[in-house]
Amino acid sequence: MYGSKFTSRSLLFPLILFLLLSSFNFASVLSDNEDADDLEDINELIAIDDLQDSGENSQPTTHYESKDFGKKSEAEVLSKAQRIVLELNNDNTKRVIEGNEYVLVLGYAPWCGRSAELMPRFAEAANVLKGLGSGIVMAKLDAERYPKAASSLGIKGYPTLLLFVNGSSQPYTGGFSSEEMVIWARKKTGSPVIRINSVAEAEEFLKQHAMYAIGLFDNFEGPDYGEFIKAAAADNEIQFVETSSSEVAKVLYPVVKPTRPFFGLVKSEPEHHTSLDENLTSDRILEFLENNKFPLVTVMTELNSPKVYASQKKLQVYVYAEANDLKKLLEPLQEIAKKFKSEILFVAVDIEEDNLAKPFLTLFGLEESEETSVIAFDYNSNSKYLLESNPTSRNIEDFCMGLLQGTLSPYYKSQPIPENKNASVLTVVGKTFDDVVLRIPANIVLEVHTPWCITCETTSKQVEKLAKHFKGLDNLVFARIDASTNEHPKLQVEDYPMLLFYPANDKSNPIKLPTKSGLKDIAALINKNLKSQDTLAKDEL
């Protein structure tokens, strides 16, 4: 039972699995010719690829370019990347891991759909990393074919991405576009910042990066610069660039301030430029990036969903709508988001994307709805909220203001109020829980069930029989609630089914009855609790 509170975010959101990445030149893998024999054929392919790069397609490639992906078909690039990525197996895994400073390993299974989806991005990242001359060895392991090697690396699911530094592993924590993969790999292997010295280099950089952080310094030294480098190394997602040239800074950040040091963030959206004022400490820079790295309104996709789920913002507003309606809503939502910048994360989701929409909408009982829905979460109080009026710009803005000020009423799911006419077991819903369970001056036996609970049907039959057995007692009422579609803040469910006895004189402390006991045993426990209540009532008199 979720209610409006959650024990953790994992209860709310099915965690998006770690995605994949891999590829690189094998030249750095070979040490003392240990792998020369078993990798000879692959090295020949690399040599052919390198010859083609420098021959028939010989055009100058800058430090930041990946021209292959633009000129060749996606299939060609993928084929090349697959040839240059190191294939691990039971025989060479230990040698590769122990013989290289940095090894990024992808554990996968051939049938893994996520792996197949990411291969084009992986291929592009492979080509870029090769062009950058990175020292990281990129390798992949068919964990299903080589379970022994997979176990030795700590690969338990598919896909799993691990970085080995001098033989010790750490999980991949970057994004899953090709650019984000490259940024993460470079940062973890000693290149957290790109230095740009000329306008030409800046213009080439802009062709490859839509989002980046820029630092302008007179000299690349001193406390501010040290904090800048520290922040660059700590951040896993954003490419940092540095320059000492005002002309270069003007290309990268056209509205750059003349004061130095300067730090700014560039994004490809309406809020294109944001900057941090003086006092550049690592903590301030990282907090600034956390508050500003997302677009004003993030349109959620499978690719960026892990980043959304991992956001540290405690207040979040989600808008679910059909794709065409989302397009119409996006601009007004951006205007609203500007007013709550750095305080609320705004996310737009296509309601047709079941994997992205249903896990959230189910929490509100809206999984079958096709209407535009606006929901919110406050992770400070672990509460959820629903905009129950029309989703106009004004209503959404008021809803956001209430979320920020803490004046919204938490939302609890509820089915329509039932009639319960002549019912031996009353049906309780979220909206009637107070009246039927907590407020009436009678003892209540409440059955808590869900449609998908295998053993709930047996308990329901027992409750029907118990209701008939105790029929005629004015001080005892039998009731049931479907916890999959109804919530209440006072109903805390640990398992299904549940039988709860609410004493007439203390509804705040229900007594849990055993559901696995026989009918006679449960009836005896109910009688015992009824007598206990009668004794308490007499003592009070």
Side-chain angles (χ1 to χ4, degrees), residues 177-196:
S177 69
S178 60
E179 181 179 345
E180 289 170 324
M181 293 175 188
V182 171
I183 290 170
W184 190 90
R186 296 192 76 222
K187 286 194 173 195
K188 295 303 179 182
T189 55
S191 302
V193 180
I194 293 176
R195 181 173 295 180
I196 300 181

Side-chain angles (χ1 to χ4, degrees), residues 174-218:
F176 301 103
S177 69
S178 60
E179 181 179 345
E180 289 170 324
M181 293 175 188
V182 171
I183 290 170
W184 190 90
R186 296 192 76 222
K187 286 194 173 195
K188 295 303 179 182
T189 55
S191 302
V193 180
I194 293 176
R195 181 173 295 180
I196 300 181
N197 298 311
S198 69
V199 170
E201 288 182 351
E203 290 173 344
E204 291 298 340
F205 176 86
L206 290 177
K207 294 177 183 178
Q208 301 299 319
H209 298 270
M211 180 177 180
Y212 53 89
I214 175 177
L216 173 62
F217 302 92
D218 275 329

